[in-house]
Structure formats: structure tokens, C-alpha cells
Amino acid sequence: MKFGKRIKEQIQESLPEWRDKFLRYKELKNLISSPDPAEFIFIGLLNSEIEKFNAFFVEQEEDFIIHHKVLQYRIQRLVEKYGDNDDETFREEIGEIRKDIVNFHGEMVLLVSYSNINYTGLAKILKKYDRRSGGALRSPFVQKVLHQPFFKTDLVSRLVREWETTIDAVFPASNAEAERGYERSAAVSSAAAGEGIFRNTVAALVTMREMRRGSSTYSALSLPPVNLYDLDLVLQPIHIPSPILS
Amino acid sequence: MEARPVQRSGSMVLSNLTRTTTSIPSNPSTGEESFTRSDNTQFISKPLGQQTYHLLSSNNNGAVGHICSSTSSGFSTNLHYSSMASHERHGSSSNDTSWCHDSPHGGFLDFPEASHVEDGGIGSAFDDIQKPNDWHEWADHLITDEDPLLSTSWNDLLLNTSSHSDSKVQIPPQAHQTVQQQPSPSVELRPVGTTSSSSNNGTGKARMRWTPELHEAFVEAVNSLGGSERATPKGVLKIMKVDGLTIYHVKSHLQKYRTARYRPEPSENGSSEKKLTPLEHITSLDLKGGIGITEALRLQMEVQKQLHEQLEIQRNLQLRIEEQGKYLQMMFEKQNSGLEKGTASTSDTSAKSDQEDKKTDDSKELVSEETRNSQEPESSQAKRTKTR
């Protein structure tokens, strides 16, 4: 019950184009609860879901690869153009790039999160199926899933980490810039663009924490609770709207 | 749900099953993954999508290009077949073992064969690509009361799936789409998969899995042709000289590339958010407006980093859990099969039990192996050969 609710919330918080790409957990659960769930139907549905994940994931990944290069190029051009000049337009443009980097980073992380949520959902639904049917479908099926394109997130993770390193170079050394007026103009568009990603990210973190809090079926094979100590410190001074944190 | 004629269901099932028997070209085993398989699954006769994933060149983990397409539909139907067949056999071995033996792929539990578990790209035998466009429709096709009929069809099919061509011949063309196999080349010098082209013609896109290296090659080709506006897919394809890369791949990639260049913003997702009224969002969310943009960005970045880190941790845990489970299951089955054959696990035990049966005076000799040397050589020798 809990996962179903969580994934639903996660989907609601996710970027609009993504919303129909997630696992149809509830439908699958209903299928399992139905009087005579044929195994091949169940498996067929899972397969089609997996294909959906693969298609979406690979496409997003392609977009990311392209954008990755474009962003690098932009930074390079900017540095070449302005050299060491620290004038207004330079700061504006670098502010733009900064925002774009952060949002890009965020989107990639969300794709990794997408992959993980769907994997988790698959594993859970298989577990439910086995419980109901008395079979042992789960383990071999999961083995198969581990080799699916959508599960192999290494490339995206690598890009994520690259940008985490790069952003340090692009962020200002001090907070003095925060008080400059020119930031106001950037604030508007940035807030709007980043907000969706930001909310989504926070929602994903909360989902993860809640899911791993322990359940009635908690066992030796379950994941341990999430250690989000640092995150709580980060989020504390911010008033996050309650729907996300409930 | 509409009622569907059993026949049609049968053929659907048949065509579904073909996918399992799509031949797996032999892979030059480079110790890395070099699977080449493409599979095309269209459960309903509609314009098909041929889902093939080419992973070209290597990303960080040096994965070879490969095509992930799959027979998990095959896998699934094997499962179904197995579980149904085992019912028919009136409770023979457990489902687990019947999977193993019945699968035309020699058992998905043969892990060394079927799975090179490294990160970054493996065309496992059990990747599945199946694409019913609407699962309701799909489910309709499958729902039939004629279980015996179904299993019979599957029985027949599986018995005859010793060779790729056989299975293909059997399949009514109705819903069956092409199986096209392409090699998965590597831009970065990794020899990859075999090339074989199916006799059937597949229209439709084989999905390419791009990598930064491949993309760089793409960009170079585009630049050498005078830029993204001037370059043509054909020209780029020719310059890149990457096996398995089709003009469709290049075309769609070029399109994406052009869009990205001329609108260098975060992807659509980001920009669509921008269409929302910015002011409303700022006033409703203190966190961004109140603390300044740089700080907001920093915070956002921090949260994102946390999420990513947690995801990686979670993923590793999940992988470990599955590995453990897999290992335990294998051990369990080994144990089971050992017990079933009726052999004891140690030769000592068997020797002892034999001795007990024989009731000879010399039985004492074998009980203590340490004293064997001191026994009369001939008699102990005889004993040993008797009791194996």
C-alpha cells in the first residue's frame, strides 16, 4: 500500500512529460488481486512496461548527451569571449549558465531516480505476485531486469558527477553577488524552471526515505533506512510546502 | 473485454513465442558484452516498432556496443509454458527446475552464459522488448479459456525451436514482425557482435543508445560538413562509418542536435516549466525568492546531489540483495538436486552404508580410514573396489 501511494505522489511531482512513463503499479496490483490472474498476462504487462522504460530512458539519455556537449560548448565560448573581464554581461551570462547547469544536473538525477523507482516497483510487484501465486517468478525476472537499458544508469551518473565538479568552478567564490541587482532578472526565469525540478527532487528524496522506513514485510533482504542526516540540515531553514513533506 | 477467437489468440501467442527463439548470434566473447541481437516484438499487427538498442562504443565502464533486445517475452512464455506444463505433468519438479530445463536458451539460470554482469551494457539473453501498444488490447488477445489449447501450441513450438529457422517458418506472419540483427559496432575499437541480417524486412526504428564518444564523432562529422544546418544525415552517416548506425538514427539525432543548438536552454522539460507564471511561483515559494538566486541554486544543487548519492547507494544495495538471493537459490537447488539423485554428499557416508548392507567382518576397516594402511592390503583393496 505504501509504495503505491508513494509512487503516485512521485509521479504527481514529476515533470509533466514524464508522468505517463512510470510503472503502472496500481494496475498491476489490481491484476494480481483479480480472481484469476494469468501468469502470462502479468508477465506480458511487465514486459511492456519495461519496454516503455527502456524507450523513454534511452531517449532522455540521448538528449542529455547532446545537451551535455552544448553546455560545455557554451561555457567554453563564454570563457573565451570574456577572458578575465568581470563585467556585467559576463556575470549575467554566467548566471544563466549556472542555472542551466544546476537544472541540467537535476534532470539527470531525476532520470536516475526514475530508473530506480521503476525498478523498485517491479521488484515489489513481483514479490506480491509470488506471494499470491506461490511461485518464484521474482528472482529470475529481476535478474533479467538488471540487464535492461533503463536500469543501466552508469552513463547518466557519470555525467552527473562531472557536472558536480564543474559547477564548483562556475559558482562564485563569495556570496557578495547575491546582493547585486542584476540577479533579479535571472531570478524570475530561474525560479520557474528550477522549481519543478527542485520539487521533484525533494519529493524523490522523501519518497525514498519513506519507502525504506520499514514495513510489515521488512526482512533481511530489505533495504536499510535512508541516512539523510545531511539533507535534513540543508532543508531545515527552508519552508517546504507541506504536501511534499507529509 | 471483447471475446477473441481462440485461433487468433493462439497465433498471437505463437508470434510472441517466436521471439524467444530468435536466434542469438554467437558472440565473439571478448569477456565484455558483445551481444548482438535485435528483436522485434509486435504483439498486435500494427506498424511495428523494432526495438533494438545499440550501445556503441564505451562509456565509462568500457561496455562494448551492443544491442539490447530481448527475449524476455520468450522468457516469460517459457515460464508460462513451464508452469503450465508442470501442471500437466501432475506436479513434477518444482517450477524452478522446470524453467531451467525447458527453456530453449538452455536455462536462464545458467548465469555465466546469459549474463555478463557488468555495468554498462549487456545484451542479455533475457532483455525483453515487447511492445503491445495498449495493454488492455494485449490482454484481451491473450485471454482465452482454452488453456489446454494454448499450452499445446506452446508445447509444439518449444519442441520445435531447436533452430532459428524452424521457429520462423512456423510462425504465421500475421502479427509477427521482423527480427533484424545488426552488429553493434564500437567507435572505440572494440570488436563487437556478429553481423547477420534477417531475411525479413523490418521497417521501423531500431533504437540507438548513444554515448558521449559516439556523439563526439557525430559532431565532428557534422562540423566537417559545414555545420548542423548544412550537414545531411546521409553525409554524416558516411563520414562516421559506424557499423550498425543507420540513417534513421543519424536523422533523428541530427534533429535533436539542431534543436538543442538553436535553443540552448535546459531541455523541454525545463522550458515548459518556464511557461508557468513566474511571479506566482516566486511568491508561493519563499525558498527561492527570499534567499537570492545564487543561494537558491546552491541549495537546489545540494539537494540534487543528495538524491543522486542516495540513489547510488540504494542501487548498490539492491544489486547486492539480488546477488545474494541468486546465490542462495543456486545453492538451494544444488542441494535439492543432490538429494533427489539419492547420492549422499560424502563418499564416507556411501561407503559406510554399503558396508552396513554387506554385513561383512571387514566393514570395520573402512570406518576408520586412518587405519587403512595398517590393514592387510589385499582385503582392504577388495573392499574399496566393492564399495566404490
Side-chain angles (χ1 to χ4, degrees):
Chain A
M1 204 64 226
K2 208 164 27 164
F3 180 83
K5 187 167 154 221
R6 287 289 152 194
I7 193 175
K8 195 167 148 205
E9 283 174 8
Q10 189 58 40
I11 292 174
Q12 275 167 4
E13 294 295 336
S14 65
L15 304 167
E17 291 83 357
W18 296 33
R19 283 182 198 152
D20 61 346
K21 307 288 190 230
F22 283 85
L23 180 69
R24 283 185 280 208
Y25 188 77
K26 193 169 175 192
E27 283 95 332
L28 285 163
K29 226 169 56 142
N30 290 340
L31 175 67
I32 293 177
S33 326
S34 74
D36 188 18
E39 180 168 294
F40 62 88
I41 291 185
F42 178 67
I43 291 178
L45 285 174
L46 290 184
N47 285 338
S48 88
E49 290 293 281
I50 289 175
E51 170 51 25
K52 181 175 75 177
F53 304 152
N54 285 339
F56 178 69
F57 186 90
V58 167
E59 174 126 19
Q60 287 297 311
E61 190 186 52
E62 184 180 352
D63 287 337
F64 289 161
I65 288 176
I66 294 178
H67 192 63
H68 172 74
K69 239 303 87 6
V70 167
L71 212 47
Q72 279 179 338
Y73 182 70
R74 266 174 72 197
I75 293 178
Q76 198 182 354
R77 285 265 320 268
L78 192 66
V79 166
E80 284 169 6
K81 185 173 164 193
Y82 287 96
D84 283 331
N85 298 346
D86 195 19
D87 65 2
E88 179 105 2
T89 35
F90 172 73
R91 287 171 186 266
E92 256 179 38
E93 292 196 27
I94 212 176
E96 269 292 307
I97 286 193
R98 211 182 290 144
K99 168 201 72 167
D100 286 348
I101 292 175
V102 173
N103 287 340
F104 180 50
H105 176 271
E107 257 194 88
M108 288 196 287
V109 173
L110 286 174
L111 189 67
V112 177
S113 170
Y114 164 88
S115 165
N116 197 278
I117 282 182
N118 289 323
Y119 168 81
T120 306
L122 282 174
K124 280 186 185 284
I125 202 79
L126 281 161
K127 193 168 156 190
K128 283 196 196 298
Y129 183 83
D130 281 349
R131 222 184 297 136
R132 202 223 182 241
S133 70
L137 185 56
R138 197 196 89 101
S139 184
F141 200 95
V142 162
Q143 286 300 319
K144 179 196 88 153
V145 173
L146 294 179
H147 298 307
Q148 295 298 310
F150 85 91
F151 187 75
K152 296 184 207 138
T153 54
D154 299 290
L155 177 57
V156 177
S157 282
R158 189 191 89 187
L159 294 180
V160 164
R161 274 178 259 119
E162 268 183 42
W163 284 105
E164 279 169 15
T165 323
T166 310
I167 190 96
D168 291 336
V170 186
F171 262 118
S174 70
N175 285 340
E177 291 189 26
E179 295 152 30
R180 305 264 171 90
Y182 68 81
E183 285 198 332
R184 287 294 154 208
S185 56
V188 167
S189 52
S190 173
E195 182 216 324
I197 294 173
F198 185 74
R199 285 175 69 99
N200 197 351
T201 308
V202 172
L205 275 164
V206 172
T207 296
M208 207 188 305
R209 182 177 61 193
E210 290 306 304
M211 259 173 21
R212 282 164 57 174
R213 210 163 237 182
S215 69
S216 56
T217 55
Y218 200 77
S219 73
L221 292 182
S222 298
L223 293 170
V226 175
N227 178 9
L228 281 179
Y229 174 71
D230 295 331
L231 178 66
D232 288 338
L233 288 182
V234 168
L235 285 180
Q236 207 173 23
I238 307 302
H239 305 291
I240 307 285
S242 52
I244 298 181
L245 276 189
S246 61
Chain B
M1 291 193 205
E2 317 160 38
R4 304 271 177 173
V6 170
Q7 204 123 17
R8 185 154 181 216
S9 304
S11 60
M12 288 295 177
V13 167
L14 287 179
S15 54
N16 187 14
L17 203 59
T18 8
R19 287 187 287 275
T20 71
T21 57
T22 299
S23 78
I24 302 166
S26 57
N27 301 310
S29 44
T30 61
E32 318 272 334
E33 324 70 29
S34 41
F35 259 82
T36 307
R37 183 172 336 143
S38 92
D39 192 17
N40 185 354
T41 69
Q42 191 69 19
F43 210 79
I44 301 168
S45 22
K46 284 184 185 172
L48 61 116
Q50 175 187 348
Q51 293 82 30
T52 323
Y53 296 98
H54 308 255
L55 179 67
L56 302 189
S57 89
S58 49
N59 49 23
N60 53 344
N61 41 37
V64 178
H66 70 276
I67 295 177
C68 306
S69 69
S70 99
T71 55
S72 74
S73 61
F75 170 85
S76 57
T77 50
N78 287 341
L79 282 178
H80 180 59
Y81 163 78
S82 305
S83 51
M84 292 192 68
S86 59
H87 293 325
E88 288 175 358
R89 283 184 231 137
H90 305 295
S92 58
S93 49
S94 71
N95 272 350
D96 292 15
T97 50
S98 52
W99 288 342
C100 257
H101 303 306
D102 291 334
S103 159
H105 298 303
F108 60 82
L109 284 177
D110 280 339
F111 293 109
E113 191 177 84
S115 62
H116 317 269
V117 186
E118 295 179 18
D119 291 339
I122 301 160
S124 146
F126 306 102
D127 288 347
D128 177 64
I129 300 187
Q130 174 178 355
K131 190 183 180 182
N133 291 328
D134 182 288
W135 73 266
H136 292 286
E137 233 180 325
W138 189 93
D140 283 353
H141 288 156
L142 277 187
I143 289 175
T144 169
D145 295 320
E146 317 267 349
D147 278 354
L149 178 64
L150 219 52
S151 58
T152 309
S153 315
W154 289 6
N155 267 320
D156 290 343
L157 253 180
L158 276 174
L159 286 174
N160 288 320
T161 55
S162 48
S163 77
H164 176 48
S165 46
D166 282 355
S167 58
K168 270 198 170 171
V169 165
Q170 281 186 21
I171 303 312
Q174 178 181 358
H176 177 57
Q177 298 297 346
T178 71
V179 172
Q180 184 174 347
Q181 292 152 350
Q182 295 177 349
S184 30
S186 165
V187 169
E188 301 210 316
L189 317 169
R190 286 280 173 79
V192 180
T194 57
T195 311
S196 62
S197 51
S198 141
S199 48
N200 297 334
N201 276 333
T203 57
K205 319 151 248 180
R207 213 166 277 119
M208 169 72 60
R209 192 161 191 186
W210 287 82
T211 67
E213 295 78 16
L214 188 63
H215 178 68
E216 257 172 60
F218 168 86
V219 170
E220 273 173 30
V222 164
N223 289 339
S224 73
L225 288 173
S228 60
E229 283 305 296
R230 285 231 201 99
T232 66
K234 193 173 174 189
V236 171
L237 183 65
K238 211 168 164 193
I239 295 182
M240 284 180 74
K241 277 205 270 278
V242 172
D243 277 341
L245 188 63
T246 72
I247 197 164
Y248 301 108
H249 299 144
V250 175
K251 196 169 169 197
S252 79
H253 196 74
L254 185 61
Q255 205 168 15
K256 286 180 188 266
Y257 183 68
R258 282 176 180 153
T259 317
R261 295 271 309 202
Y262 288 93
R263 201 175 47 113
E265 324 236 337
S267 71
E268 307 176 15
N269 300 320
S271 57
S272 69
E273 294 286 317
K274 281 181 187 171
K275 288 169 194 156
L276 306 170
T277 314
L279 276 173
E280 288 167 12
H281 284 277
I282 291 194
T283 49
S284 70
L285 269 187
D286 294 346
L287 62 98
K288 292 285 179 128
I291 62 177
I293 194 59
T294 308
E295 274 314 295
L297 282 178
R298 240 192 261 268
L299 173 67
Q300 182 181 337
M301 190 66 181
E302 193 52 44
V303 173
Q304 285 165 191
K305 271 164 103 167
Q306 278 280 324
L307 177 56
H308 187 240
E309 191 182 315
Q310 290 301 324
L311 283 167
E312 297 207 288
I313 293 173
Q314 178 156 305
R315 183 194 148 94
N316 285 334
L317 286 174
Q318 285 168 330
L319 280 170
R320 280 223 309 257
I321 286 175
E322 289 309 320
E323 258 177 54
Q324 262 181 1
K326 182 175 109 187
Y327 176 75
L328 287 173
Q329 185 158 18
M330 261 172 21
M331 296 305 293
F332 181 68
E333 276 168 13
K334 265 190 199 164
Q335 191 76 1
N336 271 353
S337 58
L339 289 173
E340 275 174 358
K341 284 177 195 163
T343 58
S345 48
T346 65
S347 50
D348 277 346
T349 320
S350 62
K352 279 182 194 164
S353 55
D354 281 356
Q355 281 306 303
E356 282 160 25
D357 287 345
K358 291 194 168 78
K359 292 181 197 169
T360 62
D361 303 332
D362 299 324
S363 59
K364 303 171 210 164
E365 289 178 17
L366 281 170
V367 170
S368 56
E369 289 181 19
E370 309 88 83
T371 59
R372 199 173 283 166
N373 291 340
S374 58
Q375 300 296 330
E376 294 156 13
E378 304 87 58
S379 53
S380 42
Q381 194 77 3
K383 277 296 164 306
R384 247 175 277 148
T385 47
K386 256 200 236 170
T387 58
R388 145 180 105 85

